[in-house]
Each structure stands twice: as structure tokens, then as C-alpha cells.
Amino acid sequence: MSNFYAAIEIGTTRTVLAIGEDEPGGRIKITCHAEIPSTGVRKSQILDINQATTSIRSVLRAIEKKQSEAGSTITLGNAYLVVSGQHIKADPFQGMIPIEGAKVGSDELDAVFRSSRTMQLPKDRELLDIVDQDYEVDGLRGITAPRGMSGRMLRLNTLQIHADKSRIDNARTAADDAKLEIREPLFAATCAADAVLEEHEKRNGVLVLDIGGGSTGYAVYFDGHLASTGVVGVGGDHVTNDIAHAFQTTNAQAEQLKIESASAIIGTPGEPRVKVPGSSPLMETRTISRRALDTVVNARLRELFTVIRDTLEEQDLLNRLHAGAVLTGGGAAMRDIDALVQRELGMPTRTGKPVNVDGLDDEKFPAAFAAVAGAVMYAGRADEGRSILDGILGRFFK
């Protein structure tokens, strides 16, 4: 019998739910997924729990309908929560212990691991993940397997990713009201990276940009581990708002202009004008300059990528990303955004189709589902880990 896993993302513009199951060979397949427009959420933050609950109920009903049509009767009771937003931070933390007997052994590896998990967070923060980076022996960094090495001091470098506890609690409350238990919160950007990156890209240096509605998460991998991560408070909704303000349209009209007509790269003069969608059949259609539309979009996106470029330059990472940039999230669907990233960051850029999970090949834009797909993968790994632990404990505690 297959094991089933679920992940939900309550985003600024949409609420997404995905269900996956084990496949032969250890892979995960997304067997059912659905999305509906979010309500009660702004800039990755729930502002109205009742409306957010309604969104969760709606996406649950959409999943149930799809499963019923496929002849499935799975009852979904819990899901992992995909979290995004500028409230997410990543702090370096170092476990440190003396090396007994002058060589690193199992005792030292266990002790430094435990030491690396002792970082104290403020009460208003909740831990999302602890990512092991590399070891140090007497100040020498970049060590991946220190067992047997000689020295006096062993260190384990980690990144501790944490979020605003109240925001996660609000999501839990909204999900509980919809009869869906939240098992664990996960960071959207690293989930997306797990779904779309190959191991050789992580070794050679790669940047993942998960572009959502209210914010953009980034994750940098180098030498096979997560080197840096964070969130910039600019997303696709900011582009929509800029269009609405510049051309005096409704947000719905601006969103349609962004999707159907705008480009992240400013076009050449003399291009045909763009029709502004009418807010009603009785409204007279007007036109705007395509170049002016592209200029508005380009300005906001350049602001976003400039912040990311400056951050990576400060961390001495920008010139180490030989595998380039990978774009995920709904915002990655904007026309020519890959070309703009390549121009602004000076590296090859591609759209991140999930490669480490199956079941999304028929989706029109699978990069938009990378984060929930990666969360479902994590759920499968966590379940496997628990099964192994249960087996070990079962042998000792019969």
C-alpha cells in the first residue's frame, strides 16, 4: 500500500494544495493538486483568518472533486505548510566541541551535531529548518567528512531558518478551522530548490529565485550545501500594483495586462499599442503604450534583482554561481523575466521545472508548483526517517 503526503501553500495570490505518493525506486509522484485564488492574505500574511479558512476549504473541495473523478477515496487530514514572506530569516550558527584523543570519531560527530542544535530563538520566532553546511577542524573550513582527522577543535557550521511564530500560528488556526492539521512549517524557497535542482548544480553554485505574489525567496547553493538564503519583500503583486497606479486601472485589469501583454524587457519604440481590458462590457476600450507598460514592469523587477545582486556580492557569492539562476514560483511566468535576470545578475538563467518529483509534466507552468512539490518530497523523506526510527526502536523496546 502506498504512503500519501500533502503540502499546502497559503500565498498572497493563490492557495495551493498538492498530494503525493511513493513510487517504486523511492521517488514521489504528485497524484493530485489544485489551486484557488487566496482571500484574506496580503504580502504573504494572513489578515483575515475566516477568509483564509474559506480559501483552504475551497482548495480541499477542489482536491476532493479531482480525486472523486479519478476514483480515489483518500481522506486528507493533515499537510505540511509551505511558508514564504519577508518575516523569514536565516542566521548562521556554529556547533563547537573539543576533539578528545586528538582525532575526530563518532563521539565527536554526535557531540558537535547536538551542539549545533542549541541556538536559542526568541519566543516570537519559530524554527523552520536547520541546514548543515560544512565542518571546521582548527579553523580549516569546507570539510565534508571529518572522521579520523586530527586537531583540537571541531565545528559544524549551520544555517538556522526561522519565521514569525504568530504568522505560522495564524495559518495553523485557519487550517484547523477547515479541519486540516498542519504537521510542520517549511520554507518555500528551499522546498522549491529541492524540487528543481540537480546535485551537480548545487556543487557548482546555483541561485534559486522563488517569485511569489507578495515576496521573492532566494536560496544559494555552493559546494553542495545551502550557502545563503532569505526573502525580499517584492513579488508579482507589486508589479500588478505598479501597473494599476501608472495607468489608472483596476488591479484585475492590471493583472491581465501583466500576464497577457507586459514584458520584463523594455521593447523597441514604435511597437503596437496595448488594449486595456474593460472593467465591464459597457466600458470603452482604451490603449496604452506597450513600451510604457514594459518600462513600469522592468523598473520594479530591476529593483528586486538589484537587491539580490547586492546581497550576493556582499556575501562574495555572486561570482561563484557557475550553474546560474533557476526561477520558480508563479512570478517566473512573466514574459522575458529570465532574460532580465540573466542581464542583471550576469549568469545563465532557466525556468525551474521540477525534476526530482513526478506528476507535473502535464501542468502548463510546473515551476509555479515547485515549492509544494518540494514540500511533498520532504514529507516523504520525513516519513521514511520515522519508519526507520520506529523499526530501530521496535527492536529495542519490544
Side-chain angles (χ1 to χ4, degrees):
M1 182 176 178
S2 296
N3 292 319
F4 291 87
Y5 318 100
I8 188 168
E9 182 175 17
I10 310 168
T12 300
T13 57
R14 62 191 187 127
T15 298
V16 185
L17 180 62
I19 298 175
E21 66 176 296
D22 293 322
E23 282 191 302
R27 287 178 67 88
I28 298 290
K29 181 178 181 179
I30 303 298
T31 56
C32 189
H33 65 281
E35 62 174 326
I36 57 101
S38 288
T39 55
V41 184
R42 184 169 178 265
K43 295 183 178 179
S44 307
Q45 180 175 1
I46 292 176
L47 300 180
D48 188 317
I49 287 179
N50 289 334
Q51 289 186 19
T53 297
T54 299
S55 294
I56 297 170
R57 286 182 180 139
S58 296
V59 80
L60 282 168
R61 284 195 295 269
I63 286 285
E64 289 171 0
K65 181 179 178 182
K66 285 189 174 184
Q67 288 184 321
S68 177
E69 292 171 350
S72 174
T73 57
I74 297 172
T75 300
L76 185 62
N78 58 69
Y80 285 77
L81 175 68
V82 178
V83 182
S84 57
Q86 203 171 6
H87 62 104
I88 298 171
K89 308 294 180 186
D91 292 322
F93 186 75
Q94 193 176 66
M96 179 173 59
I97 57 106
I99 300 173
E100 302 293 340
K103 285 190 177 182
V104 178
S106 296
D107 290 344
E108 285 76 18
L109 291 174
D110 290 343
V112 79
F113 177 84
R114 291 193 300 271
S115 175
S116 72
R117 267 61 182 169
T118 59
M119 178 177 171
Q120 296 296 313
L121 289 173
K123 292 182 179 180
D124 63 345
R125 306 296 293 175
E126 179 162 345
L127 187 68
L128 299 182
D129 198 6
I130 299 176
V131 180
D132 296 334
Q133 296 180 304
D134 61 359
Y135 293 91
E136 289 185 32
V137 175
D138 294 345
L140 175 63
R141 282 206 66 166
I143 299 171
T144 57
R147 186 187 297 273
M149 296 186 71
S150 300
R152 297 182 302 275
M153 190 65 66
L154 176 66
R155 294 177 173 86
L156 173 57
N157 296 301
T158 71
L159 271 182
Q160 315 251 340
I161 305 172
H162 51 93
D164 186 315
K165 188 177 185 302
S166 64
R167 296 196 183 194
I168 295 174
D169 286 344
N170 288 339
R172 285 195 178 103
T173 299
D176 284 344
D177 291 345
K179 310 302 182 186
L180 182 70
E181 177 191 355
I182 296 301
R183 296 190 63 175
E184 187 178 336
L186 305 171
F187 181 31
T190 52
C191 286
D194 282 347
V196 304
L197 292 183
E198 304 273 11
E199 285 303 316
H200 69 87
E201 292 176 308
K202 292 183 178 181
R203 291 193 301 270
N204 293 332
V206 66
L207 165 67
V208 172
L209 293 174
D210 188 51
I211 307 170
S215 61
T216 296
Y218 66 89
V220 178
Y221 292 82
F222 181 71
D223 279 349
H225 63 256
L226 183 67
S228 177
T229 190
V231 181
V232 180
V234 177
D237 266 17
H238 296 81
V239 176
T240 300
N241 293 338
D242 288 350
I243 294 172
H245 179 75
F247 301 106
Q248 298 182 332
T249 70
T250 65
N251 271 29
Q253 291 171 312
E255 181 71 12
Q256 189 173 344
L257 282 168
K258 181 183 75 176
I259 293 171
E260 297 180 357
S261 302
S263 170
I265 299 292
I266 300 174
T268 58
E271 287 187 311
R273 293 176 68 83
V274 176
K275 288 184 178 180
V276 177
S279 56
S280 76
L282 300 178
M283 292 292 292
E284 183 180 349
T285 301
R286 62 188 175 95
T287 63
I288 60 175
S289 162
R290 182 184 298 273
R291 184 173 174 84
L293 175 62
D294 293 347
T295 298
V296 170
V297 174
N298 176 268
R300 178 62 81 171
L301 293 177
R302 284 185 62 199
E303 173 195 9
L304 167 63
F305 300 138
T306 296
V307 170
I308 291 170
R309 183 187 64 221
D310 291 347
T311 300
L312 298 183
E313 283 182 337
E314 289 174 5
Q315 298 173 349
D316 194 27
L317 289 170
L318 188 64
N319 294 325
R320 302 184 183 193
L321 306 180
H322 304 303
V326 181
L327 308 183
T328 65
M334 281 186 279
R335 185 177 302 157
D336 295 326
I337 193 170
D338 52 345
L340 181 62
V341 172
Q342 181 164 332
R343 178 187 297 179
E344 294 298 313
L345 301 186
M347 62 182 69
T349 302
R350 67 175 177 88
T351 300
K353 179 181 178 180
V355 295
N356 299 316
V357 61
D358 300 322
L360 292 172
D361 290 340
D362 294 336
E363 181 61 45
K364 182 179 179 181
F365 192 71
F369 298 90
V372 290
V376 171
M377 289 173 52
Y378 174 90
R381 291 197 304 268
D383 187 74
E384 180 183 358
R386 280 190 295 270
S387 298
I388 292 172
L389 181 59
D390 289 345
I392 294 172
L393 294 176
R395 292 196 296 272
F396 284 100
F397 299 99
K398 292 183 179 179

